[in-house]
Amino acid sequence: MVDKFIEDKVTRVPIKQDGQEVKVDFNDLKSGGFIKQRQRDLFAVRLRCPGGRLDTKKLVEIAKLADKYSKQGVVHFSFRQSLEILYVDYKDFDNLVRDLEKIGQKVASCGPRVRVPTACGGCEYNPNGLTDTQKMAKMVDEKYFGTPCHHKFKTSFSGCPIDCARTKEMDLGFQGVVEPVWDEDTCTGCTICSKACKEDAIKSHPETGKPIYDPQKCIYCGDCIRACPTESWQAKRYGHFVRIGGRHGRHPREANNVANFIPDEKVPETIEKTLEWYKVNGKKGERIGKTIDRVGIESYMKFMEPVFKSGEPLKTNTKPGWEKV
Amino acid sequence: MGKGITMADIKADDSLDLRGVLCPINFVKTKLKLETMDVGQVLEIVLDDGEPIQNVPKSIKEEGHKIVEVKKEGDFFRLKIEKR
Ligand code: HEM
Ligand code: HEM
Ligand code: SF4
Ligand code: SF4
Ligand code: SF4
């Protein structure tokens, strides 16, 4: 009876159960989304659900498999939007994985690598959403999932500054932003935008009612654009506010704010270059936030400059707020 | 505060006083009322300052209607909405 879960070091592990040998090939199951439970022989199997999205046909099939393989007939929605099938006997791993493959469902990962991205609903169906978070999560999952790193590497996408996907706590987080521009000619001075702005970034002129905009206070949420009855506020550009080095856990660290208005098409490059910097500067077992604390954020900023100039690099010494350069 | 008048006194076909009605019920009532009206007709609503004026105009726009007039009167706002 082996009740210790072996992850990276050994790929093929013969496991003895009541004198019978069961072969479990961890190389085939290379994602490693199998987490030992406190109960003997039983594991939780985490499914790969980027952005927490599942199509309903697949969900029905997953439900059938969960019912078949979970000894207690339960699943759990994890904090990173994965669906976990609980109480799975390790002797069933091969069969479960095969059955999951038939319905096109993959298993998630643990350990020192790029994890399944999380994401909120974003602009597809959330009224606050500014970016297509689900599309981005899918892209990151397809391109970067499982990439080995010095430690776990978590990414997430929030559609707007409300930040439901908690980009401040990610190794690399992307939060939607929009820059508003105002057209004086069409403005009727109705004062609604100054009411709609929750950041006090718009005051109404005492006589005309027209907006007086303070870009230092603006967090680029777009509420003014959505509220204005005459479309006098318009979107100048959309993009991602980028945060690096966040984590939670035992030693939480709030991310450094590093860039603003990074366009969709520069997100892959942002991830690739960040992983490159981490590879060179990080140490085994060190989260990227720790690398930043040890090596200095300036090194990262310098390295990222070619990508970040597609938007606006930020002054990173100002926490917890942020400043435009 | 601004005078905030778009076009002088647009005639309203119907009206709703939503003072004291909380989000999002104020919007739901507006929506239900608009559904009983014809395209091109104008609904006048009265909204409290604070959350209602922050939220309701956005939602009205998102449903595709047009806010044609906004007046601030003391602690509340009088809006005219053209059904689209
Ligand atoms: C059925 C479950 C949930 C519903 C209906 C829900 C709904 C919402 C809504 C509507 C917002 C936006 C709030 C706003 O507009 O200010 C929000 C924000 C947020 N949610 Fe949830 N949520 C749920 C579960 C969760 C869970 C499980 C988590 C964390 C693991 C979470 C974390 C957050 C965070 C961090 C925010 C960001 C903004 C804030 O703190 O105000 N939510 N949620
Ligand atoms: C084989 C290795 C590992 C497995 C199987 C594993 C499994 C998990 C699981 C299942 C979660 C919950 C995720 C979710 O809600 O979806 C989690 C979260 C977490 N794990 Fe691990 N983990 C592993 C290694 C580590 C290591 C080495 C560390 C730290 C030294 C770590 C730190 C954390 C932290 C801080 C969280 C909190 C959530 C977060 O940051 O999003 N894990 N882990
Ligand atoms: S972050 Fe913004 S867009 Fe995403 S769910 Fe939250 S409120 Fe909606
Ligand atoms: S984008 Fe948001 S924070 Fe900036 S002025 Fe508009 S409502 Fe205010
Ligand atoms: S909401 Fe639009 S019309 Fe009204 S004051 Fe602001 S910019 Fe002008």
Side-chain angles (χ1 to χ4, degrees):
Chain A
M1 226 303 295
V2 180
D3 70 355
K4 209 163 175 193
F5 182 63
I6 301 155
E7 210 224 1
D8 277 338
K9 292 142 223 141
V10 191
T11 52
R12 185 172 279 274
V13 192
I15 300 171
K16 279 231 163 74
Q17 171 70 29
D18 308 327
Q20 227 188 330
E21 195 168 279
V22 187
K23 280 242 175 68
V24 178
D25 190 335
F26 286 100
N27 213 24
D28 281 352
L29 315 171
K30 63 176 167 260
S31 59
F34 301 82
I35 300 121
K36 178 150 178 11
Q37 294 189 187
R38 52 168 65 204
Q39 293 86 0
R40 177 176 164 160
D41 294 349
L42 296 178
F43 284 71
V45 178
R46 298 172 73 194
L47 304 183
R48 188 168 152 192
C49 318
R53 190 187 184 96
L54 275 172
D55 77 55
T56 50
K57 295 265 183 315
K58 206 187 257 186
L59 182 60
V60 169
E61 296 307 318
I62 291 170
K64 289 181 195 159
L65 294 180
D67 189 51
K68 180 171 166 192
Y69 288 102
S70 169
K71 300 285 180 214
Q72 299 279 334
V74 273
V75 297
H76 173 247
F77 297 102
S78 87
F79 269 82
R80 277 189 66 82
Q81 303 183 315
S82 143
L83 189 65
E84 302 172 326
I85 305 178
L86 304 184
Y87 299 95
V88 176
D89 191 306
Y90 72 101
K91 293 191 275 346
D92 287 336
F93 281 178
D94 279 347
N95 289 335
L96 173 56
V97 169
R98 210 166 302 130
D99 283 354
L100 284 168
E101 253 164 28
K102 276 185 215 146
I103 61 166
Q105 178 59 52
K106 297 197 173 65
V107 175
S109 74
C110 305
R113 51 183 63 86
V114 177
R115 301 298 183 82
V116 184
T118 53
C120 74
C123 67
E124 180 189 352
Y125 53 89
N126 190 299
N128 296 322
L130 303 168
T131 47
D132 194 342
T133 53
Q134 289 289 327
K135 183 186 83 185
M136 299 311 288
K138 189 161 178 276
M139 179 279 291
V140 172
D141 183 64
E142 280 162 6
K143 277 183 109 133
Y144 305 109
F145 168 79
T147 308
C149 317
H150 295 297
H151 202 306
K152 59 168 69 169
F153 194 83
K154 293 180 178 179
T155 59
S156 84
F157 291 87
S158 283
C160 81
I162 295 172
D163 199 19
C164 298
R166 300 185 290 176
T167 60
K168 293 176 186 69
E169 299 169 8
M170 297 298 142
D171 294 284
L172 183 56
F174 297 89
Q175 172 225 286
V177 277
V178 61
E179 185 174 13
V181 277
W182 178 63
D183 172 37
E184 175 153 22
D185 293 345
T186 53
C187 173
T188 60
C190 75
T191 76
I192 281 187
C193 55
S194 72
K195 296 287 170 188
C197 178
K198 299 180 177 84
E199 306 302 321
D200 211 19
I202 301 179
K203 290 203 162 47
S204 296
H205 189 280
E207 266 112 55
T208 63
K210 293 192 175 189
I212 303 163
Y213 172 64
D214 179 355
Q216 284 304 325
K217 286 187 177 161
C218 180
I219 63 164
Y220 308 114
C221 68
D223 280 349
C224 49
I225 300 170
R226 288 168 57 208
C228 174
T230 59
E231 315 295 339
S232 301
W233 283 107
Q234 294 272 340
K236 186 174 163 200
R237 55 176 167 171
Y238 291 94
H240 301 266
F241 190 95
V242 181
R243 298 185 161 100
I244 185 85
R247 60 172 183 260
H248 41 253
R250 288 198 222 204
H251 303 284
R253 180 187 190 279
E254 191 177 323
N256 295 73
N257 304 309
V258 286
N260 204 356
F261 298 114
I262 299 301
D264 277 1
E265 62 274 15
K266 288 288 175 182
V267 170
E269 213 179 317
T270 303
I271 296 171
E272 281 160 29
K273 284 214 73 112
T274 298
L275 289 172
E276 206 182 312
W277 181 86
Y278 184 30
K279 191 172 179 180
V280 172
N281 293 281
K283 289 183 187 168
K284 195 171 180 310
E286 182 179 76
R287 289 284 283 270
I288 195 168
K290 206 164 177 190
T291 310
I292 286 168
D293 289 339
R294 190 169 51 76
V295 178
I297 188 73
E298 296 75 21
S299 155
Y300 176 76
M301 291 306 282
K302 193 146 176 269
F303 190 76
M304 296 301 289
E305 204 203 316
V307 194
F308 286 170
K309 70 179 186 218
S310 65
E312 286 173 8
L314 295 168
K315 268 190 201 166
T316 53
N317 54 348
T318 47
K319 285 183 77 184
W322 46 276
E323 247 179 66
K324 292 138 214 191
V325 177
Chain B
M1 270 293 144
K3 291 169 284 294
I5 300 163
T6 319
M7 291 161 256
D9 290 331
I10 293 164
K11 191 186 145 294
D13 298 287
D14 213 332
S15 71
L16 266 184
D17 187 347
L18 296 168
R19 279 174 284 185
V21 182
L22 300 181
C23 300
I25 305 302
N26 43 18
F27 168 66
V28 174
K29 288 194 168 181
T30 306
K31 182 174 158 56
L32 289 174
K33 178 64 92 180
L34 283 165
E35 267 162 26
T36 68
M37 297 171 66
D38 296 327
V39 173
Q41 283 193 307
V42 174
L43 172 67
E44 180 187 73
I45 61 169
V46 185
L47 284 176
D48 286 321
D49 202 349
E51 278 204 9
I53 192 65
Q54 279 186 345
N55 295 324
V56 177
K58 281 191 283 196
S59 305
I60 290 168
K61 270 182 71 182
E62 270 151 19
E63 297 270 318
H65 305 297
K66 177 128 184 89
I67 298 168
V68 289
E69 191 183 290
V70 182
K71 280 186 199 172
K72 184 164 165 54
E73 301 177 2
D75 279 347
F76 53 90
F77 286 80
R78 195 174 292 275
L79 268 64
K80 290 198 178 127
I81 305 157
E82 188 187 307
K83 173 160 172 167
R84 288 283 170 97

